[in-house]
Amino acid sequence: MTERKDMRNLEDLLRTIPPEAAGVDPNTVNPWHSAMGKLLWGLGLLTFRLHLWYLPYLLPLLGAGLLYLGARRLRRTNAGFRWTWRLSLGKLVWQGIFLVILATRLGAFLEAGPAFWMVSAVGCGLDFLLLLALRRGIRGAFLDLAGKPPRDWLLPGLAAWLGTLALAVWATLEPAPAGDMAVLWARGMGAAALYGLLLWLLHRQGKALERRGYKIVPTPVRCRDGAVIVLVLLGTVLLTVPAAVWGARTPAPVGAAAGTTDLESVRSHLIDLGMPETLAADLSREDLRLCADAAAVHDSTNHLLNGDPAIPQDLGGGTVDLQSWAVVLPDQSIRFFLTFQWQELPNLSLQEAVSASPDSGKAFTDLTARLTWTEDGTRLAADLPVSLAGGQEAEELTEEQLWWYEEELKRLGRLQYQPYALFSLPRDGEAVRGYLAYSRAAKAEDYSGGSIFGGWYYFHQSAPRYPYQDMEAYLLGRSGQILSFGGSPFPCAGVSYASYVWFTA
């Protein structure tokens, strides 16, 4: 304990010796020069970001770390620098927490609506208080020979920061400003110029004061700057990975043993009409009731959505077979069963979804979805909740969409709904399969070709995406798109279906 105290006393003694007296360039040992450089780089990286790979997330974290490192060397000098250090520590902690939150569903919640404005207000308030504390620390630490404070470069810097904030709020409230592209570019360039001015004024303040740095009381540190940055980055990554896995996983359905019902005769009748025994065995009591007195069963699988023959498709390291079956009822209505069966399970299941794009000519009813699997020799089944995407009315569409969906709007008064179901695969399940089903009325004279067309997708997610991307939000966002090109953020397989013999004489 005595040895450590002696070392501290020696360090305090050395700090009282001006660098010039030791024959050393002041810029290499000046605590103000080193701290100010880190503060400038930290503020810059927190604002100007490169949208490449994960740099938009790593660089702000690095910037918050540098901001903290610069402030911690000055915290013993006066109250202003102590508050700068405290606020920079809060900024660093919040930046790490925010990056972890972005790996979960909460990330989307914080980036929109009232939560976004609340978080933004707290963050901007924190930045402004940090600049005020830095200014106070500078004013209290530096005096010229006449006892007067140095020139105040940070006061116009605060004005530049407020101007940048005003332009940022404008851009958020009105992403596409009234006028032409010149207004958009002028706004963006103006914000960049104002923030650049703030950084330049900070640099100017630092250059004017750096040769008086030996008057500042630098704080001894036990953990080197490089080690702090590595620990911050490593700690954030170690928290983000499990958060991303937890945040992306949809809870697995709770299965119940599939027993017999009083509608077993309907099941046998469907098998006699040509329905696969596996599908018939999986039907819920509701689906059996809806298919009572069926007149015909047809394989309505057409081809893959890219035009290739409908064969099992590779997905997530496994193989899934997608098919469509049409059950014709006595009133000439049809119940479609869009079925999937995993021949080889994927490596990992975080989220799964089935999403249908029914033919736009008629409305549909009686949506059901089911997942079945074998576990410990017992066949289990779980009914899945079905939701709807689409359904936009004319007032919600652009001129291009109104033109493209003209016939659909005439027939339905809105865009066609697109049913979907979200789930994850059971961890210990085998022989996993399921279906999405719906019914629709039909009359032969409605279609010259006597056929009904449609398509559907099976989406799979094995690995988390950073930042978190909600599969359900993606499915909802696809509705109403015109000739949507580009790949899906989630691996998927799809087939089209066409029932050419869908009515009875």
Side-chain angles (χ1 to χ4, degrees):
M1 189 68 181
T2 303
E3 182 180 356
R4 180 179 297 179
K5 183 176 180 181
D6 291 340
M7 288 297 296
R8 289 183 179 177
N9 291 335
L10 180 59
E11 289 175 354
D12 292 338
L13 178 63
L14 290 174
R15 283 196 298 273
T16 63
I17 302 175
E20 293 88 345
V24 178
D25 182 0
N27 288 336
T28 63
V29 297
N30 193 316
W32 170 252
H33 180 271
S34 173
M36 197 63 188
K38 291 183 175 64
L39 288 169
L40 283 171
W41 273 104
L43 289 170
L45 291 176
L46 278 167
T47 302
F48 299 106
R49 308 180 184 186
L50 295 175
H51 290 276
L52 176 68
W53 198 54
Y54 288 114
L55 292 182
Y57 313 102
L58 294 175
L59 291 184
L61 182 63
L62 176 60
L66 291 175
L67 198 65
Y68 166 76
L69 292 177
R72 74 168 180 164
R73 297 300 300 270
L74 305 174
R75 69 180 186 270
R76 285 191 179 180
T77 301
N78 58 39
F81 284 136
R82 278 195 295 276
W83 275 107
T84 303
W85 169 68
R86 291 167 184 163
L87 291 169
S88 67
L89 178 60
K91 186 78 175 177
L92 176 60
V93 172
W94 163 243
Q95 190 66 35
I97 293 174
F98 180 72
L99 293 182
V100 175
I101 290 176
L102 284 181
T104 70
R105 290 177 171 84
L106 293 176
F109 173 74
L110 293 181
E111 293 186 324
F116 165 78
W117 289 105
M118 182 181 68
V119 170
S120 299
V122 172
C124 290
L126 191 65
D127 292 343
F128 188 70
L129 290 175
L130 191 147
L131 290 174
L132 283 176
L134 180 60
R135 178 175 177 269
R136 180 186 175 188
I138 291 173
R139 304 296 289 174
F142 294 95
L143 296 174
D144 61 16
L145 296 178
K148 297 180 180 179
R151 183 170 180 178
D152 190 357
W153 292 97
L154 267 183
L155 187 60
L158 290 171
W161 185 89
L162 290 173
T164 306
L165 176 63
L167 291 175
V169 172
W170 178 20
T172 304
L173 293 174
E174 192 179 9
D180 53 20
M181 289 294 295
V183 178
L184 184 65
W185 278 98
R187 185 175 65 187
M189 297 301 293
L194 285 173
Y195 202 85
L197 176 62
L198 167 63
L199 296 180
W200 181 82
L201 290 170
L202 277 171
H203 173 72
R204 187 74 180 84
Q205 186 80 83
K207 293 295 288 183
L209 301 172
E210 63 184 13
R211 289 190 176 277
R212 302 172 188 174
Y214 65 87
K215 295 181 180 179
I216 290 180
V217 182
T219 303
V221 294
R222 294 178 176 82
C223 188
R224 294 184 178 181
D225 291 354
V228 171
I229 294 297
V230 170
L231 288 174
V232 168
L233 293 175
L234 184 61
T236 304
V237 170
L238 290 178
L239 289 173
T240 299
V241 171
V245 174
W246 169 81
R249 184 171 177 80
T250 299
V254 178
T260 60
T261 73
D262 55 347
L263 297 173
E264 291 303 310
S265 59
V266 177
R267 202 188 308 270
S268 301
H269 178 58
L270 292 172
I271 295 174
D272 293 338
L273 291 176
M275 178 177 285
E277 292 186 12
T278 53
L279 174 57
D282 292 344
L283 294 183
S284 65
R285 192 178 192 287
E286 174 68 9
D287 283 306
L288 289 172
R289 183 186 64 79
L290 291 169
C291 292
D293 302 321
V297 174
H298 299 288
D299 182 354
S300 60
T301 310
N302 194 7
H303 52 69
L304 302 184
L305 291 178
N306 62 6
D308 293 340
I311 58 175
Q313 301 175 68
D314 296 332
L315 200 60
T319 305
V320 64
D321 186 21
L322 308 181
Q323 292 185 319
S324 173
W325 294 87
V327 177
V328 183
L329 303 177
D331 61 356
Q332 297 187 359
S333 63
I334 296 182
R335 184 153 185 82
F336 282 102
F337 289 90
L338 314 178
T339 69
F340 60 89
Q341 181 170 354
W342 283 99
Q343 296 183 352
E344 182 179 351
L345 287 173
N347 299 325
L348 178 67
S349 168
L350 295 178
Q351 288 189 101
E352 313 287 320
V354 287
S355 173
S357 298
D359 182 80
S360 61
K362 294 287 184 180
F364 52 84
T365 59
D366 300 319
L367 293 164
T368 62
R370 210 172 208 219
L371 182 70
T372 65
W373 67 95
T374 298
E375 189 173 321
D376 296 329
T378 303
R379 193 67 189 169
L380 302 178
D383 293 322
L384 305 175
V386 182
S387 303
L388 295 174
Q392 295 96 327
E393 297 182 353
E395 299 78 27
E396 304 174 68
L397 303 177
T398 64
E399 291 185 7
E400 291 178 337
Q401 290 172 324
L402 288 172
W403 170 77
W404 184 261
Y405 296 107
E406 181 179 3
E407 290 299 321
E408 189 168 322
L409 291 169
K410 285 181 180 178
R411 292 184 178 185
L412 299 175
R414 51 167 171 73
L415 294 193
Q416 177 66 287
Y417 285 116
Q418 297 176 354
Y420 66 90
L422 293 167
F423 58 98
S424 65
L425 301 182
R427 296 181 184 274
D428 301 318
E430 298 177 349
V432 180
R433 57 182 184 258
Y435 63 82
L436 172 67
Y438 64 89
S439 300
R440 56 163 292 166
K443 293 185 181 298
E445 61 267 25
D446 288 342
Y447 298 90
S448 59
S451 57
I452 296 175
F453 297 94
W456 70 289
Y457 288 90
Y458 186 101
F459 292 92
H460 167 79
Q461 183 180 9
S462 289
R465 297 180 60 83
Y466 189 88
Y468 172 79
Q469 193 158 5
D470 190 351
M471 186 180 288
E472 184 169 24
Y474 169 72
L475 296 176
L476 292 171
R478 291 174 67 240
S479 174
Q481 292 183 359
I482 300 174
L483 298 178
S484 177
F485 295 102
S488 163
F490 305 100
C492 64
V495 297
S496 71
Y497 53 90
S499 179
Y500 295 101
V501 184
W502 54 268
F503 61 92
T504 57

